[in-house]
Amino acid sequence: EPEVTQTPSHQVTQMGQEVILRCVPISNHLYFYWYRQILGQKVEFLVSFYNNEISEKSEIFDDQFSVERPDGSNFTLKIRSTKLEDSAMYFCASSEDGIYGYTFGSGTRLTVV
Amino acid sequence: DQQVKQNSPSLSVQEGRISILNCDYTNSMFDYFLWYKKYPAEGPTFLISISSIKDKNEDGRFTVFLNKSAKHLSLHIVPSQPGDSAVYFCAASQGDDKIIFGKGTRLHILP
């Protein structure tokens, strides 16, 4: 069964460093998303991406964040200068129709030290 | 291999009746289970959870049942209301490890 894969599963980075989280969505999906969940808190929407551009983003998704689909298969989330409060589980998801059907990846746990 | 399975992609229920959403898992080490609700074009929002040491957790109209021997959990919504129409994701985790989501069940409440 097709899956959304995320790498790495765990990432530890020093505060102020850039980090790139990678996702490979399901191949025929057209809509892509990033979410995050700070430990003990709810899942928060970060950004949605369709037709090679951001279609929606939350307040969390500030200038430190960017997304890219560099080669038609990967979907990346970059955090330019990580802060301690960026420590969270980051989930990628993709959707065929952008309305109901979502498939989540299993997440990347980012720890900023 | 999917560790968390929601085998019904969609479900239609009459308003006022009980909605039952099912979820199966394969990893017996999961110790915490969650249900998320998602409206179109929005992110998932946490609904209710259950620890593996319990077999039932209730919060208002929502009840989650856990059957560890069958590796099965279900979400009951009673009575179902129009605002309950959404996609419901079952998720499971082991300790502080990552959450594994199912593929979701779309619930449609009929008037």
Side-chain angles (χ1 to χ4, degrees), chain A residues 6-14 17-23 34 64-70 74-82 90 108-110 112:
Chain A
Q6 289 187 242
T7 55
S9 57
H10 292 87
Q11 172 104 37
V12 180
T13 189
Q14 284 203 316
Q17 295 293 306
E18 175 183 285
V19 68
I20 297 176
L21 308 181
R22 301 181 193 279
C23 170
W34 282 101
Q64 292 299 311
F65 291 89
S66 62
V67 288
E68 201 175 34
R69 190 156 158 80
N74 290 285
F75 179 52
T76 61
L77 174 69
K78 183 193 289 186
I79 308 174
R80 287 192 187 82
S81 177
T82 50
Y90 288 81
T108 293
R109 181 174 294 286
L110 175 66
V112 182

PDB file of all heavy atoms in Angstrom, chain A residues 6-14 17-23 34 64-70 74-82 90 108-110 112:
ATOM      1  N   GLN A   6       8.960   9.710   5.541  1.00  0.00           N
ATOM      2  CA  GLN A   6       9.656  10.887   6.056  1.00  0.00           C
ATOM      3  C   GLN A   6      11.036  10.478   6.562  1.00  0.00           C
ATOM      4  O   GLN A   6      11.187   9.447   7.221  1.00  0.00           O
ATOM      5  CB  GLN A   6       8.879  11.525   7.213  1.00  0.00           C
ATOM      6  CG  GLN A   6       7.603  12.210   6.777  1.00  0.00           C
ATOM      7  CD  GLN A   6       6.947  12.962   7.913  1.00  0.00           C
ATOM      8  OE1 GLN A   6       5.834  12.650   8.307  1.00  0.00           O
ATOM      9  NE2 GLN A   6       7.650  13.955   8.438  1.00  0.00           N
ATOM     10  N   THR A   7      12.006  11.321   6.242  1.00  0.00           N
ATOM     11  CA  THR A   7      13.364  11.092   6.734  1.00  0.00           C
ATOM     12  C   THR A   7      13.973  12.405   7.219  1.00  0.00           C
ATOM     13  O   THR A   7      13.659  13.480   6.669  1.00  0.00           O
ATOM     14  CB  THR A   7      14.270  10.506   5.621  1.00  0.00           C
ATOM     15  OG1 THR A   7      14.218  11.373   4.482  1.00  0.00           O
ATOM     16  CG2 THR A   7      13.822   9.113   5.241  1.00  0.00           C
ATOM     17  N   PRO A   8      14.824  12.387   8.231  1.00  0.00           N
ATOM     18  CA  PRO A   8      15.083  11.225   9.089  1.00  0.00           C
ATOM     19  C   PRO A   8      13.938  11.020  10.069  1.00  0.00           C
ATOM     20  O   PRO A   8      13.056  11.864  10.177  1.00  0.00           O
ATOM     21  CB  PRO A   8      16.366  11.637   9.806  1.00  0.00           C
ATOM     22  CG  PRO A   8      16.252  13.128   9.919  1.00  0.00           C
ATOM     23  CD  PRO A   8      15.557  13.579   8.664  1.00  0.00           C
ATOM     24  N   SER A   9      13.966   9.946  10.826  1.00  0.00           N
ATOM     25  CA  SER A   9      12.932   9.742  11.836  1.00  0.00           C
ATOM     26  C   SER A   9      13.224  10.573  13.080  1.00  0.00           C
ATOM     27  O   SER A   9      12.296  11.001  13.771  1.00  0.00           O
ATOM     28  CB  SER A   9      12.821   8.259  12.189  1.00  0.00           C
ATOM     29  OG  SER A   9      14.078   7.772  12.625  1.00  0.00           O
ATOM     30  N   HIS A  10      14.503  10.788  13.343  1.00  0.00           N
ATOM     31  CA  HIS A  10      14.919  11.651  14.450  1.00  0.00           C
ATOM     32  C   HIS A  10      16.026  12.577  13.955  1.00  0.00           C
ATOM     33  O   HIS A  10      16.891  12.155  13.190  1.00  0.00           O
ATOM     34  CB  HIS A  10      15.464  10.831  15.640  1.00  0.00           C
ATOM     35  CG  HIS A  10      14.441  10.008  16.334  1.00  0.00           C
ATOM     36  ND1 HIS A  10      14.125   8.736  15.930  1.00  0.00           N
ATOM     37  CD2 HIS A  10      13.645  10.272  17.384  1.00  0.00           C
ATOM     38  CE1 HIS A  10      13.187   8.248  16.730  1.00  0.00           C
ATOM     39  NE2 HIS A  10      12.880   9.160  17.615  1.00  0.00           N
ATOM     40  N   GLN A  11      15.960  13.823  14.402  1.00  0.00           N
ATOM     41  CA  GLN A  11      17.002  14.792  14.043  1.00  0.00           C
ATOM     42  C   GLN A  11      17.289  15.654  15.253  1.00  0.00           C
ATOM     43  O   GLN A  11      16.361  16.215  15.850  1.00  0.00           O
ATOM     44  CB  GLN A  11      16.524  15.666  12.885  1.00  0.00           C
ATOM     45  CG  GLN A  11      17.437  16.824  12.547  1.00  0.00           C
ATOM     46  CD  GLN A  11      18.251  16.593  11.292  1.00  0.00           C
ATOM     47  OE1 GLN A  11      17.763  16.002  10.330  1.00  0.00           O
ATOM     48  NE2 GLN A  11      19.481  17.046  11.296  1.00  0.00           N
ATOM     49  N   VAL A  12      18.563  15.725  15.594  1.00  0.00           N
ATOM     50  CA  VAL A  12      18.994  16.610  16.677  1.00  0.00           C
ATOM     51  C   VAL A  12      19.859  17.691  16.047  1.00  0.00           C
ATOM     52  O   VAL A  12      20.769  17.396  15.269  1.00  0.00           O
ATOM     53  CB  VAL A  12      19.788  15.854  17.754  1.00  0.00           C
ATOM     54  CG1 VAL A  12      20.217  16.804  18.864  1.00  0.00           C
ATOM     55  CG2 VAL A  12      18.963  14.708  18.322  1.00  0.00           C
ATOM     56  N   THR A  13      19.562  18.937  16.375  1.00  0.00           N
ATOM     57  CA  THR A  13      20.307  20.031  15.770  1.00  0.00           C
ATOM     58  C   THR A  13      20.569  21.100  16.814  1.00  0.00           C
ATOM     59  O   THR A  13      19.837  21.234  17.794  1.00  0.00           O
ATOM     60  CB  THR A  13      19.547  20.622  14.570  1.00  0.00           C
ATOM     61  OG1 THR A  13      20.404  21.539  13.878  1.00  0.00           O
ATOM     62  CG2 THR A  13      18.296  21.360  15.009  1.00  0.00           C
ATOM     63  N   GLN A  14      21.628  21.863  16.585  1.00  0.00           N
ATOM     64  CA  GLN A  14      21.948  22.946  17.518  1.00  0.00           C
ATOM     65  C   GLN A  14      21.136  24.180  17.183  1.00  0.00           C
ATOM     66  O   GLN A  14      20.854  24.465  16.000  1.00  0.00           O
ATOM     67  CB  GLN A  14      23.435  23.273  17.431  1.00  0.00           C
ATOM     68  CG  GLN A  14      24.298  22.239  18.142  1.00  0.00           C
ATOM     69  CD  GLN A  14      25.641  22.823  18.540  1.00  0.00           C
ATOM     70  OE1 GLN A  14      26.249  23.523  17.734  1.00  0.00           O
ATOM     71  NE2 GLN A  14      26.101  22.540  19.744  1.00  0.00           N
ATOM     72  N   GLN A  17      21.019  26.512  13.851  1.00  0.00           N
ATOM     73  CA  GLN A  17      21.378  25.770  12.639  1.00  0.00           C
ATOM     74  C   GLN A  17      20.171  25.614  11.726  1.00  0.00           C
ATOM     75  O   GLN A  17      19.022  25.630  12.160  1.00  0.00           O
ATOM     76  CB  GLN A  17      21.922  24.388  13.005  1.00  0.00           C
ATOM     77  CG  GLN A  17      23.232  24.428  13.771  1.00  0.00           C
ATOM     78  CD  GLN A  17      24.369  24.953  12.918  1.00  0.00           C
ATOM     79  OE1 GLN A  17      24.622  24.450  11.826  1.00  0.00           O
ATOM     80  NE2 GLN A  17      25.034  25.987  13.400  1.00  0.00           N
ATOM     81  N   GLU A  18      20.465  25.410  10.463  1.00  0.00           N
ATOM     82  CA  GLU A  18      19.417  25.131   9.485  1.00  0.00           C
ATOM     83  C   GLU A  18      19.130  23.631   9.497  1.00  0.00           C
ATOM     84  O   GLU A  18      20.042  22.816   9.670  1.00  0.00           O
ATOM     85  CB  GLU A  18      19.891  25.546   8.094  1.00  0.00           C
ATOM     86  CG  GLU A  18      18.930  25.193   6.971  1.00  0.00           C
ATOM     87  CD  GLU A  18      19.487  25.570   5.613  1.00  0.00           C
ATOM     88  OE1 GLU A  18      19.493  26.767   5.281  1.00  0.00           O
ATOM     89  OE2 GLU A  18      19.909  24.635   4.881  1.00  0.00           O
ATOM     90  N   VAL A  19      17.870  23.283   9.303  1.00  0.00           N
ATOM     91  CA  VAL A  19      17.513  21.882   9.221  1.00  0.00           C
ATOM     92  C   VAL A  19      16.528  21.682   8.072  1.00  0.00           C
ATOM     93  O   VAL A  19      15.706  22.564   7.790  1.00  0.00           O
ATOM     94  CB  VAL A  19      16.921  21.387  10.567  1.00  0.00           C
ATOM     95  CG1 VAL A  19      15.576  22.023  10.858  1.00  0.00           C
ATOM     96  CG2 VAL A  19      16.806  19.894  10.599  1.00  0.00           C
ATOM     97  N   ILE A  20      16.665  20.570   7.392  1.00  0.00           N
ATOM     98  CA  ILE A  20      15.750  20.227   6.299  1.00  0.00           C
ATOM     99  C   ILE A  20      15.108  18.887   6.614  1.00  0.00           C
ATOM    100  O   ILE A  20      15.799  17.886   6.825  1.00  0.00           O
ATOM    101  CB  ILE A  20      16.478  20.150   4.945  1.00  0.00           C
ATOM    102  CG1 ILE A  20      17.053  21.517   4.568  1.00  0.00           C
ATOM    103  CG2 ILE A  20      15.512  19.676   3.849  1.00  0.00           C
ATOM    104  CD1 ILE A  20      17.873  21.514   3.295  1.00  0.00           C
ATOM    105  N   LEU A  21      13.801  18.890   6.655  1.00  0.00           N
ATOM    106  CA  LEU A  21      13.041  17.663   6.870  1.00  0.00           C
ATOM    107  C   LEU A  21      12.487  17.217   5.525  1.00  0.00           C
ATOM    108  O   LEU A  21      11.938  18.031   4.780  1.00  0.00           O
ATOM    109  CB  LEU A  21      11.902  17.902   7.867  1.00  0.00           C
ATOM    110  CG  LEU A  21      12.311  18.560   9.189  1.00  0.00           C
ATOM    111  CD1 LEU A  21      11.099  18.712  10.093  1.00  0.00           C
ATOM    112  CD2 LEU A  21      13.405  17.793   9.879  1.00  0.00           C
ATOM    113  N   ARG A  22      12.616  15.943   5.268  1.00  0.00           N
ATOM    114  CA  ARG A  22      12.262  15.440   3.945  1.00  0.00           C
ATOM    115  C   ARG A  22      11.055  14.512   3.989  1.00  0.00           C
ATOM    116  O   ARG A  22      10.854  13.765   4.937  1.00  0.00           O
ATOM    117  CB  ARG A  22      13.454  14.688   3.342  1.00  0.00           C
ATOM    118  CG  ARG A  22      14.677  15.554   3.222  1.00  0.00           C
ATOM    119  CD  ARG A  22      15.856  14.823   2.609  1.00  0.00           C
ATOM    120  NE  ARG A  22      17.072  15.610   2.818  1.00  0.00           N
ATOM    121  CZ  ARG A  22      17.420  16.650   2.061  1.00  0.00           C
ATOM    122  NH1 ARG A  22      16.655  17.014   1.054  1.00  0.00           N
ATOM    123  NH2 ARG A  22      18.530  17.321   2.314  1.00  0.00           N
ATOM    124  N   CYS A  23      10.302  14.585   2.921  1.00  0.00           N
ATOM    125  CA  CYS A  23       9.083  13.792   2.799  1.00  0.00           C
ATOM    126  C   CYS A  23       8.957  13.335   1.355  1.00  0.00           C
ATOM    127  O   CYS A  23       9.251  14.099   0.431  1.00  0.00           O
ATOM    128  CB  CYS A  23       7.888  14.662   3.192  1.00  0.00           C
ATOM    129  SG  CYS A  23       6.270  13.953   2.834  1.00  0.00           S
ATOM    130  N   TRP A  34       2.463  20.129   5.736  1.00  0.00           N
ATOM    131  CA  TRP A  34       3.303  19.902   6.917  1.00  0.00           C
ATOM    132  C   TRP A  34       2.509  20.302   8.149  1.00  0.00           C
ATOM    133  O   TRP A  34       1.840  21.341   8.175  1.00  0.00           O
ATOM    134  CB  TRP A  34       4.595  20.713   6.859  1.00  0.00           C
ATOM    135  CG  TRP A  34       5.644  20.127   5.961  1.00  0.00           C
ATOM    136  CD1 TRP A  34       5.957  20.521   4.698  1.00  0.00           C
ATOM    137  CD2 TRP A  34       6.518  19.037   6.260  1.00  0.00           C
ATOM    138  NE1 TRP A  34       6.973  19.743   4.193  1.00  0.00           N
ATOM    139  CE2 TRP A  34       7.335  18.830   5.138  1.00  0.00           C
ATOM    140  CE3 TRP A  34       6.710  18.221   7.380  1.00  0.00           C
ATOM    141  CZ2 TRP A  34       8.315  17.842   5.081  1.00  0.00           C
ATOM    142  CZ3 TRP A  34       7.683  17.241   7.332  1.00  0.00           C
ATOM    143  CH2 TRP A  34       8.473  17.051   6.194  1.00  0.00           C
ATOM    144  N   GLN A  64      11.142  32.013   8.866  1.00  0.00           N
ATOM    145  CA  GLN A  64      12.162  31.004   9.148  1.00  0.00           C
ATOM    146  C   GLN A  64      11.858  29.673   8.458  1.00  0.00           C
ATOM    147  O   GLN A  64      12.723  28.808   8.360  1.00  0.00           O
ATOM    148  CB  GLN A  64      12.272  30.764  10.664  1.00  0.00           C
ATOM    149  CG  GLN A  64      12.838  31.953  11.423  1.00  0.00           C
ATOM    150  CD  GLN A  64      14.240  32.284  10.957  1.00  0.00           C
ATOM    151  OE1 GLN A  64      15.105  31.410  10.849  1.00  0.00           O
ATOM    152  NE2 GLN A  64      14.483  33.549  10.661  1.00  0.00           N
ATOM    153  N   PHE A  65      10.632  29.521   7.997  1.00  0.00           N
ATOM    154  CA  PHE A  65      10.205  28.273   7.380  1.00  0.00           C
ATOM    155  C   PHE A  65      10.087  28.449   5.860  1.00  0.00           C
ATOM    156  O   PHE A  65       9.717  29.516   5.371  1.00  0.00           O
ATOM    157  CB  PHE A  65       8.840  27.838   7.923  1.00  0.00           C
ATOM    158  CG  PHE A  65       8.841  27.406   9.355  1.00  0.00           C
ATOM    159  CD1 PHE A  65       8.644  28.338  10.370  1.00  0.00           C
ATOM    160  CD2 PHE A  65       9.016  26.080   9.697  1.00  0.00           C
ATOM    161  CE1 PHE A  65       8.630  27.937  11.701  1.00  0.00           C
ATOM    162  CE2 PHE A  65       8.996  25.666  11.019  1.00  0.00           C
ATOM    163  CZ  PHE A  65       8.811  26.606  12.021  1.00  0.00           C
ATOM    164  N   SER A  66      10.403  27.397   5.162  1.00  0.00           N
ATOM    165  CA  SER A  66      10.139  27.380   3.730  1.00  0.00           C
ATOM    166  C   SER A  66       9.890  25.932   3.311  1.00  0.00           C
ATOM    167  O   SER A  66      10.315  24.992   3.999  1.00  0.00           O
ATOM    168  CB  SER A  66      11.305  27.972   2.927  1.00  0.00           C
ATOM    169  OG  SER A  66      12.482  27.206   3.112  1.00  0.00           O
ATOM    170  N   VAL A  67       9.164  25.787   2.213  1.00  0.00           N
ATOM    171  CA  VAL A  67       8.909  24.458   1.673  1.00  0.00           C
ATOM    172  C   VAL A  67       9.302  24.451   0.199  1.00  0.00           C
ATOM    173  O   VAL A  67       9.298  25.481  -0.467  1.00  0.00           O
ATOM    174  CB  VAL A  67       7.439  24.013   1.817  1.00  0.00           C
ATOM    175  CG1 VAL A  67       7.092  23.701   3.257  1.00  0.00           C
ATOM    176  CG2 VAL A  67       6.491  25.049   1.228  1.00  0.00           C
ATOM    177  N   GLU A  68       9.597  23.244  -0.249  1.00  0.00           N
ATOM    178  CA  GLU A  68      10.049  23.108  -1.618  1.00  0.00           C
ATOM    179  C   GLU A  68       9.714  21.714  -2.120  1.00  0.00           C
ATOM    180  O   GLU A  68       9.694  20.739  -1.343  1.00  0.00           O
ATOM    181  CB  GLU A  68      11.575  23.304  -1.668  1.00  0.00           C
ATOM    182  CG  GLU A  68      12.117  23.675  -3.009  1.00  0.00           C
ATOM    183  CD  GLU A  68      13.615  23.959  -2.957  1.00  0.00           C
ATOM    184  OE1 GLU A  68      14.330  23.307  -2.173  1.00  0.00           O
ATOM    185  OE2 GLU A  68      14.058  24.836  -3.720  1.00  0.00           O
ATOM    186  N   ARG A  69       9.448  21.642  -3.418  1.00  0.00           N
ATOM    187  CA  ARG A  69       9.278  20.344  -4.056  1.00  0.00           C
ATOM    188  C   ARG A  69      10.307  20.318  -5.184  1.00  0.00           C
ATOM    189  O   ARG A  69       9.991  20.582  -6.336  1.00  0.00           O
ATOM    190  CB  ARG A  69       7.863  20.207  -4.573  1.00  0.00           C
ATOM    191  CG  ARG A  69       7.490  18.826  -5.042  1.00  0.00           C
ATOM    192  CD  ARG A  69       6.005  18.622  -4.988  1.00  0.00           C
ATOM    193  NE  ARG A  69       5.566  17.568  -5.880  1.00  0.00           N
ATOM    194  CZ  ARG A  69       5.651  16.278  -5.609  1.00  0.00           C
ATOM    195  NH1 ARG A  69       6.187  15.875  -4.477  1.00  0.00           N
ATOM    196  NH2 ARG A  69       5.210  15.369  -6.457  1.00  0.00           N
ATOM    197  N   PRO A  70      11.534  20.014  -4.840  1.00  0.00           N
ATOM    198  CA  PRO A  70      12.639  20.274  -5.763  1.00  0.00           C
ATOM    199  C   PRO A  70      12.676  19.396  -7.008  1.00  0.00           C
ATOM    200  O   PRO A  70      13.133  19.828  -8.057  1.00  0.00           O
ATOM    201  CB  PRO A  70      13.877  20.030  -4.888  1.00  0.00           C
ATOM    202  CG  PRO A  70      13.410  19.124  -3.803  1.00  0.00           C
ATOM    203  CD  PRO A  70      11.978  19.456  -3.565  1.00  0.00           C
ATOM    204  N   ASN A  74      10.214  14.631  -3.920  1.00  0.00           N
ATOM    205  CA  ASN A  74      10.418  15.038  -2.544  1.00  0.00           C
ATOM    206  C   ASN A  74       9.657  16.312  -2.221  1.00  0.00           C
ATOM    207  O   ASN A  74       9.422  17.156  -3.094  1.00  0.00           O
ATOM    208  CB  ASN A  74      11.909  15.281  -2.276  1.00  0.00           C
ATOM    209  CG  ASN A  74      12.696  13.993  -2.275  1.00  0.00           C
ATOM    210  OD1 ASN A  74      12.637  13.224  -1.339  1.00  0.00           O
ATOM    211  ND2 ASN A  74      13.412  13.748  -3.363  1.00  0.00           N
ATOM    212  N   PHE A  75       9.277  16.443  -0.963  1.00  0.00           N
ATOM    213  CA  PHE A  75       8.633  17.651  -0.455  1.00  0.00           C
ATOM    214  C   PHE A  75       9.352  17.973   0.844  1.00  0.00           C
ATOM    215  O   PHE A  75       9.307  17.182   1.794  1.00  0.00           O
ATOM    216  CB  PHE A  75       7.142  17.386  -0.241  1.00  0.00           C
ATOM    217  CG  PHE A  75       6.365  18.551   0.302  1.00  0.00           C
ATOM    218  CD1 PHE A  75       6.429  19.795  -0.298  1.00  0.00           C
ATOM    219  CD2 PHE A  75       5.546  18.393   1.412  1.00  0.00           C
ATOM    220  CE1 PHE A  75       5.695  20.867   0.194  1.00  0.00           C
ATOM    221  CE2 PHE A  75       4.815  19.457   1.914  1.00  0.00           C
ATOM    222  CZ  PHE A  75       4.893  20.699   1.307  1.00  0.00           C
ATOM    223  N   THR A  76      10.038  19.109   0.883  1.00  0.00           N
ATOM    224  CA  THR A  76      10.898  19.392   2.032  1.00  0.00           C
ATOM    225  C   THR A  76      10.405  20.586   2.827  1.00  0.00           C
ATOM    226  O   THR A  76       9.802  21.519   2.284  1.00  0.00           O
ATOM    227  CB  THR A  76      12.345  19.663   1.577  1.00  0.00           C
ATOM    228  OG1 THR A  76      12.359  20.810   0.717  1.00  0.00           O
ATOM    229  CG2 THR A  76      12.925  18.478   0.840  1.00  0.00           C
ATOM    230  N   LEU A  77      10.701  20.542   4.106  1.00  0.00           N
ATOM    231  CA  LEU A  77      10.456  21.661   5.010  1.00  0.00           C
ATOM    232  C   LEU A  77      11.803  22.103   5.549  1.00  0.00           C
ATOM    233  O   LEU A  77      12.536  21.304   6.120  1.00  0.00           O
ATOM    234  CB  LEU A  77       9.545  21.238   6.164  1.00  0.00           C
ATOM    235  CG  LEU A  77       9.325  22.285   7.265  1.00  0.00           C
ATOM    236  CD1 LEU A  77       8.492  23.448   6.741  1.00  0.00           C
ATOM    237  CD2 LEU A  77       8.640  21.659   8.480  1.00  0.00           C
ATOM    238  N   LYS A  78      12.120  23.378   5.344  1.00  0.00           N
ATOM    239  CA  LYS A  78      13.389  23.918   5.824  1.00  0.00           C
ATOM    240  C   LYS A  78      13.129  24.918   6.926  1.00  0.00           C
ATOM    241  O   LYS A  78      12.243  25.781   6.801  1.00  0.00           O
ATOM    242  CB  LYS A  78      14.154  24.604   4.690  1.00  0.00           C
ATOM    243  CG  LYS A  78      15.532  25.138   5.115  1.00  0.00           C
ATOM    244  CD  LYS A  78      16.140  26.085   4.093  1.00  0.00           C
ATOM    245  CE  LYS A  78      16.587  25.408   2.845  1.00  0.00           C
ATOM    246  NZ  LYS A  78      17.295  26.344   1.935  1.00  0.00           N
ATOM    247  N   ILE A  79      13.890  24.783   7.989  1.00  0.00           N
ATOM    248  CA  ILE A  79      13.866  25.775   9.056  1.00  0.00           C
ATOM    249  C   ILE A  79      15.240  26.420   9.054  1.00  0.00           C
ATOM    250  O   ILE A  79      16.254  25.741   9.259  1.00  0.00           O
ATOM    251  CB  ILE A  79      13.564  25.151  10.429  1.00  0.00           C
ATOM    252  CG1 ILE A  79      12.301  24.283  10.370  1.00  0.00           C
ATOM    253  CG2 ILE A  79      13.371  26.261  11.477  1.00  0.00           C
ATOM    254  CD1 ILE A  79      12.011  23.520  11.663  1.00  0.00           C
ATOM    255  N   ARG A  80      15.282  27.717   8.788  1.00  0.00           N
ATOM    256  CA  ARG A  80      16.578  28.365   8.517  1.00  0.00           C
ATOM    257  C   ARG A  80      17.445  28.473   9.760  1.00  0.00           C
ATOM    258  O   ARG A  80      18.627  28.176   9.722  1.00  0.00           O
ATOM    259  CB  ARG A  80      16.352  29.762   7.941  1.00  0.00           C
ATOM    260  CG  ARG A  80      15.877  29.732   6.531  1.00  0.00           C
ATOM    261  CD  ARG A  80      15.937  31.096   5.857  1.00  0.00           C
ATOM    262  NE  ARG A  80      15.310  30.994   4.553  1.00  0.00           N
ATOM    263  CZ  ARG A  80      14.010  31.057   4.336  1.00  0.00           C
ATOM    264  NH1 ARG A  80      13.188  31.244   5.340  1.00  0.00           N
ATOM    265  NH2 ARG A  80      13.513  30.931   3.120  1.00  0.00           N
ATOM    266  N   SER A  81      16.902  28.934  10.828  1.00  0.00           N
ATOM    267  CA  SER A  81      17.681  29.143  12.046  1.00  0.00           C
ATOM    268  C   SER A  81      16.842  28.614  13.199  1.00  0.00           C
ATOM    269  O   SER A  81      15.966  29.305  13.715  1.00  0.00           O
ATOM    270  CB  SER A  81      17.991  30.629  12.222  1.00  0.00           C
ATOM    271  OG  SER A  81      18.694  30.858  13.427  1.00  0.00           O
ATOM    272  N   THR A  82      17.113  27.371  13.561  1.00  0.00           N
ATOM    273  CA  THR A  82      16.230  26.700  14.516  1.00  0.00           C
ATOM    274  C   THR A  82      16.287  27.329  15.899  1.00  0.00           C
ATOM    275  O   THR A  82      17.343  27.814  16.348  1.00  0.00           O
ATOM    276  CB  THR A  82      16.593  25.213  14.619  1.00  0.00           C
ATOM    277  OG1 THR A  82      18.013  25.080  14.830  1.00  0.00           O
ATOM    278  CG2 THR A  82      16.200  24.465  13.362  1.00  0.00           C
ATOM    279  N   TYR A  90       7.318  16.557  13.486  1.00  0.00           N
ATOM    280  CA  TYR A  90       6.843  17.168  12.239  1.00  0.00           C
ATOM    281  C   TYR A  90       6.268  16.079  11.337  1.00  0.00           C
ATOM    282  O   TYR A  90       6.935  15.102  11.016  1.00  0.00           O
ATOM    283  CB  TYR A  90       7.985  17.906  11.535  1.00  0.00           C
ATOM    284  CG  TYR A  90       8.368  19.175  12.256  1.00  0.00           C
ATOM    285  CD1 TYR A  90       9.197  19.154  13.375  1.00  0.00           C
ATOM    286  CD2 TYR A  90       7.878  20.411  11.836  1.00  0.00           C
ATOM    287  CE1 TYR A  90       9.521  20.315  14.054  1.00  0.00           C
ATOM    288  CE2 TYR A  90       8.199  21.580  12.503  1.00  0.00           C
ATOM    289  CZ  TYR A  90       9.022  21.522  13.616  1.00  0.00           C
ATOM    290  OH  TYR A  90       9.334  22.677  14.286  1.00  0.00           O
ATOM    291  N   THR A 108       8.888  13.114  11.740  1.00  0.00           N
ATOM    292  CA  THR A 108      10.297  13.325  12.099  1.00  0.00           C
ATOM    293  C   THR A 108      10.316  14.046  13.423  1.00  0.00           C
ATOM    294  O   THR A 108       9.722  15.117  13.560  1.00  0.00           O
ATOM    295  CB  THR A 108      11.034  14.184  11.049  1.00  0.00           C
ATOM    296  OG1 THR A 108      11.127  13.463   9.821  1.00  0.00           O
ATOM    297  CG2 THR A 108      12.445  14.532  11.540  1.00  0.00           C
ATOM    298  N   ARG A 109      11.011  13.453  14.389  1.00  0.00           N
ATOM    299  CA  ARG A 109      11.127  14.126  15.688  1.00  0.00           C
ATOM    300  C   ARG A 109      12.354  15.028  15.644  1.00  0.00           C
ATOM    301  O   ARG A 109      13.485  14.556  15.503  1.00  0.00           O
ATOM    302  CB  ARG A 109      11.255  13.122  16.824  1.00  0.00           C
ATOM    303  CG  ARG A 109      11.340  13.824  18.182  1.00  0.00           C
ATOM    304  CD  ARG A 109      11.319  12.846  19.351  1.00  0.00           C
ATOM    305  NE  ARG A 109      10.072  12.142  19.491  1.00  0.00           N
ATOM    306  CZ  ARG A 109       8.948  12.676  19.961  1.00  0.00           C
ATOM    307  NH1 ARG A 109       8.928  13.931  20.332  1.00  0.00           N
ATOM    308  NH2 ARG A 109       7.854  11.957  20.068  1.00  0.00           N
ATOM    309  N   LEU A 110      12.108  16.329  15.732  1.00  0.00           N
ATOM    310  CA  LEU A 110      13.197  17.306  15.728  1.00  0.00           C
ATOM    311  C   LEU A 110      13.460  17.778  17.148  1.00  0.00           C
ATOM    312  O   LEU A 110      12.543  18.203  17.852  1.00  0.00           O
ATOM    313  CB  LEU A 110      12.835  18.507  14.843  1.00  0.00           C
ATOM    314  CG  LEU A 110      13.835  19.661  14.837  1.00  0.00           C
ATOM    315  CD1 LEU A 110      15.153  19.221  14.191  1.00  0.00           C
ATOM    316  CD2 LEU A 110      13.276  20.880  14.116  1.00  0.00           C
ATOM    317  N   VAL A 112      15.879  20.437  19.130  1.00  0.00           N
ATOM    318  CA  VAL A 112      16.825  21.547  19.028  1.00  0.00           C
ATOM    319  C   VAL A 112      17.478  21.735  20.397  1.00  0.00           C
ATOM    320  O   VAL A 112      16.791  21.878  21.408  1.00  0.00           O
ATOM    321  CB  VAL A 112      16.126  22.842  18.583  1.00  0.00           C
ATOM    322  CG1 VAL A 112      17.145  23.973  18.444  1.00  0.00           C
ATOM    323  CG2 VAL A 112      15.390  22.631  17.265  1.00  0.00           C
TER     324      VAL A 112
END
